[in-house]
Amino acid sequence: MRARYRRILGFAARVLVQTWWFELALPRIGFTRVADNSRERRMRTLAQRFHVLAVELGGLMIKVGQFMSSRLDVLPPEITTELAGLQDEVPPVPVAEIRTLAEAELGVPLERAFAWFDEAPLAAASLGQAHRARLSELDAADAGFAEVVVKVQRPGIDQVVATDLAALRRVAGWLRRIRFIADRVDAPALVEEFAQTSLEEIDYLHEAAASERFAENFAHDPRVDAPLVAWERTTRRVLTLSDVTAIKINDIDALRAAGIDPADVARVFAEVMFDQLFTHGFVHADPHPGNIFVTPHRAGGVGMPGASTGSATAMGGFPKGGESHPAWRLTFIDFGMMAEVPEGIRHGLRTLFIAAASRDGKGMVAAAQEIGVVMPSAENRELERALTAVFARFGGMGFAELRDVDPREFQGFAVEFGDTMRSLPVQLPEGLLLLIRAVSLTSGMCSGLDPQFNIWESIEPYATRLLADESGNLVRDFAQQAGANAATLWRLPKRIDEIITRVDEGSVTFDTSRIERRLDRIDGLIRRGVSGLLFAALLIGGAVVLAVNPVLGTVLMSVSVLPLLHTLFAGLFRRGPR
C-alpha cells in the first residue's frame, strides 16, 4: 500500500511540476507561444500516461479516470476524450479468494449458502466480481426466485480505496495552494464528492437499498423492472440479486429476432430516463448497454421470475409511452451509481432553463448560484456576458424549432459551452455531472437504436410541465412578496417615528470600535511599509559605500537589520484585540 501511495503522489508531483513550468514559468520569460503550441499534445500525453497508470494499479484509479472523463467543466477535451475509453475491466480474482471472502461474509460455506455456485466469473471489475449461482430450495421458497447473480468485493479493496483516497486528498491539498488552480477548481471538494460516491459503491447494502428504491419508484409501471434482492445472502461485501439477464438493449439483431422494434425501445428508454429525472428525482447514472436489458414478456403477459414486475397501471404526473408495448419491458441492473436530484437543484434547473430560453444572463447566474456551481472567485458580470453569448443561438427557440436544428449545430454549441465553462470559475457538483452523464448516455444509446431519434421530442412533455409548474410558482412567489412588502410599508411610519424619538432623547449610540480597529491596522501596515523602505535604503546604501568606506558600509548594512525586524515581526505584537 505504501508503494501504491508513493506512486500516485509521484505521478501527481511530476504533472504539477510540468504544469508549473509550461503554464507559469515559460510565459513569464517570454515563451508563451511555446506553452500554447504544445498544450494540446501535452494534455493528450498526460491523459495517456494516466490511462496506463490506472490500468496497472486498478482499484479506485480506474474510477478516478472515469470520473475525470466526465469533468468537462474543469478539464480540457484532450484529457476527457482520452479517458472516456477507460473500461472498468480487469483480470478476475482467483475463485479461491472469492470463496474465502464470501464464506467469511455469509458465515457459512458456499455449498450451504447456495445449491450451485459457478466458479467461472460472469464479469470482473476493479471493485468486485460477479458469479452466477442458485439459491437453496429453502431460500428460494422464501425469496420467490432461485437463479441469482452474486457480486463479491475484491479481497483487500477496502485498503486499496483508503490508500487511493488518502493520496488524492494529499494531491488536492497541493492544488489548493496553487492560486491559478484554486481560483477555478475547488480540488478538495471534488475529491470529497468522489470519495463519497466511491465509498457508497463498495457498500453493497447501499446498492441493494438503491435497487429496492428504484423498483418501488416504478412498481406500477409495466415498462420497467429491476432485480430483487436476496437479503438472506447479502452483506456489505456480498450482494445477491435475482438473475434478470435478457437481451442487451443495444443488441439490435436480437431485438428484431424477438419481434421488438429498436425505435420503440429508444423512445420508451428515453421516456423512462426522463421519468427518473423529472418525476422521481432518483436517476440511474450509469445506463450503459451492459446495465440495461430488454426482457420479452412470457405468454399471457406474465413477467419473468425474479424481477419486480409492475402492474398495468402507470403512475406519476408525466406521460408514459410504454402501455402500447406490453410485449417487453426494460430491466435495469447495477445501482451502485445513482444520482439524487434534491428539490433545490430541480428548482435551480427549472430557473436556469427559463433564463436560458429568454437569454437572461443575470437569471442564469442566479440559477447557477442556487444550484451551487459558481465558485466564490467568480465575477457575476463576466458570467452574465459569457452565458448570454453562449445561449444567444438557441435562446427563445421553441421545441418545434429545436427539433429542426442540425445536430452538428448542437455539437458546436457543446464545444463552445465546454470552453466557456472551463474559462470561468464554475464547478459542477458531482450529482449534476452524473445527471449530465446519464442524459448523454441516454441520447447516444437512443441514437444508436434509432438514427432518426430526436431527443427534443422526448423532453418536450416534461419541459412543458416544468414551465407550467414554474409559472404557478412565480404567481405564488409574487403574491407572497407583495404581502411582505405591504406589511413592511405598514410598519415603516411607526419605525421612523421611534428612531426620531430616540434621536431627540439622545439615546442613539454608534459603535465605532470596528472602524477604529481597521484604522489601527492600516496605521500598522503603513509603519511596516516605511520600515521596509528604510531597510532597503540602508542595505543598498551600505552595499554601494562598502567599496569606498568599508567601515561605514558595514555599519549601514548592520543597522538595516533593525527596520527589517520591525517589518517582519511588528504585526505579531498588536496592541489590543483586532
Side-chain angles (χ1 to χ4, degrees), residues 319-464:
K320 305 271 192 272
E323 290 87 340
S324 59
H325 299 280
W328 54 269
R329 63 185 182 274
L330 297 172
T331 303
F332 288 74
I333 64 170
D334 193 352
F335 300 92
M337 189 184 296
M338 303 295 293
E340 188 89 32
V341 192
E343 182 54 37
I345 289 183
R346 294 169 73 180
H347 180 269
L349 289 173
R350 287 197 297 266
T351 306
L352 181 63
F353 180 83
I354 295 170
S358 58
R359 302 185 183 94
D360 179 8
K362 185 173 293 186
M364 284 188 275
V365 172
Q369 290 172 332
E370 181 178 355
I371 297 170
V373 305
V374 179
M375 296 279 289
S377 59
E379 175 58 45
N380 284 1
R381 289 186 179 179
E382 182 185 357
L383 278 174
E384 290 174 19
R385 287 194 298 269
L387 292 176
T388 302
V390 168
F391 284 94
R393 170 65 180 91
F394 302 109
M397 295 179 66
F399 282 92
E401 298 172 281
L402 289 171
R403 283 197 295 266
D404 298 331
V405 174
D406 189 333
R408 288 174 295 185
E409 284 198 60
F410 285 119
Q411 293 175 358
F413 167 78
V415 172
E416 183 182 0
F417 181 73
D419 292 341
T420 302
M421 292 289 287
R422 284 187 294 275
S423 67
L424 297 172
V426 173
Q427 181 170 301
L428 302 179
E430 187 181 7
L432 189 56
L433 272 173
L434 291 176
L435 292 180
I436 295 173
R437 169 188 169 86
V439 172
S440 175
L441 289 174
T442 299
S443 179
M445 184 96 70
C446 293
S447 297
L449 291 167
D450 178 12
Q452 304 303 317
F453 175 80
N454 192 317
I455 195 170
W456 296 107
E457 295 180 357
S458 299
I459 294 179
E460 184 172 8
Y462 303 94
T464 302

Side-chain angles (χ1 to χ4, degrees), residues 518-569:
R518 188 160 296 178
L519 290 173
D520 189 31
R521 187 179 296 115
I522 293 173
D523 179 65
L525 291 174
I526 293 174
R527 292 176 183 273
R528 293 171 67 186
V530 171
S531 295
L533 291 174
L534 183 58
F535 159 72
L538 289 172
L539 182 64
I540 295 172
V544 171
V545 175
L546 188 63
V548 180
N549 191 334
V551 176
L552 180 58
T554 302
V555 170
L556 290 176
M557 294 177 68
S558 301
V559 172
S560 70
V561 174
L562 297 177
L564 174 63
L565 293 175
H566 180 266
T567 302
L568 295 176
F569 301 111

Side-chain angles (χ1 to χ4, degrees), residues 44-325:
R44 188 175 294 108
T45 301
L46 167 62
Q48 291 169 350
R49 289 175 178 171
F50 182 84
H51 191 293
V52 173
L53 176 73
V55 171
E56 290 180 357
L57 291 180
L60 202 60
M61 298 313 294
I62 290 180
K63 298 293 182 183
V64 172
Q66 294 173 337
F67 174 75
M68 291 169 63
S69 71
S70 67
R71 298 301 320 199
L72 302 176
D73 53 335
V74 296
L75 293 174
E78 293 81 16
I79 291 180
T80 56
T81 302
E82 177 66 31
L83 296 179
L86 189 58
Q87 298 296 317
D88 192 8
E89 296 179 1
V90 295
V93 177
V95 70
E97 297 180 25
I98 291 294
R99 175 183 291 272
T100 300
L101 189 148
E103 290 180 347
E105 283 290 305
L106 298 175
V108 294
L110 283 185
E111 288 74 13
R112 288 183 54 191
F114 302 100
W116 168 76
F117 186 89
D118 189 357
E119 294 191 348
L122 178 64
S126 58
L127 302 182
Q129 190 163 298
H131 293 257
R132 280 197 170 95
R134 185 180 302 114
L135 295 175
S136 65
E137 291 186 7
L138 183 61
D139 287 341
D142 290 339
F145 53 89
E147 303 300 321
V148 295
V149 172
V150 183
K151 289 178 63 175
V152 184
Q153 271 189 17
R154 282 184 168 256
I157 195 64
D158 286 340
Q159 291 83 357
V160 170
V161 169
T163 300
D164 291 357
L165 289 179
L168 292 175
R169 289 186 173 109
R170 184 73 176 273
V171 173
W174 294 347
L175 296 176
R176 186 173 55 184
R177 294 180 174 87
I178 303 175
R179 184 172 179 179
F180 86 95
I181 294 179
D183 285 345
R184 298 181 180 276
V185 181
D186 187 353
L190 283 181
V191 170
E192 292 309 317
E193 288 181 353
F194 176 73
Q196 180 180 354
T197 302
S198 301
L199 294 174
E200 288 176 352
E201 196 166 352
I202 64 172
D203 183 354
Y204 286 163
L205 292 176
H206 181 273
E207 181 176 344
S211 174
E212 289 202 334
R213 178 179 171 183
F214 181 90
E216 184 179 349
N217 286 344
F218 289 95
H220 302 285
D221 192 330
R223 304 170 300 169
V224 185
D225 269 337
L228 300 174
V229 182
W231 285 103
E232 290 297 321
R233 294 291 177 252
T234 295
T235 69
R236 193 180 71 85
R237 298 202 290 174
V238 175
L239 174 61
T240 304
L241 300 167
S242 57
D243 188 353
V244 293
T245 306
I247 303 171
K248 278 190 176 183
I249 190 172
N250 65 337
D251 192 343
I252 295 178
D253 292 338
L255 290 174
R256 287 175 174 158
I260 300 172
D261 186 353
D264 289 339
V265 174
R267 178 176 56 80
V268 174
F269 174 56
E271 291 173 356
V272 169
M273 291 301 298
F274 288 127
D275 272 350
Q276 295 174 44
L277 173 58
F278 293 111
T279 304
H280 305 295
F282 190 62
V283 183
H284 194 300
D286 196 22
H288 64 73
N291 286 340
I292 305 162
F293 298 111
V294 178
T295 306
H297 288 186
R298 294 196 295 182
V302 181
M304 299 292 286
S308 56
T309 308
S311 68
T313 304
M315 304 293 287
F318 290 109
K320 305 271 192 272
E323 290 87 340
S324 59
H325 299 280

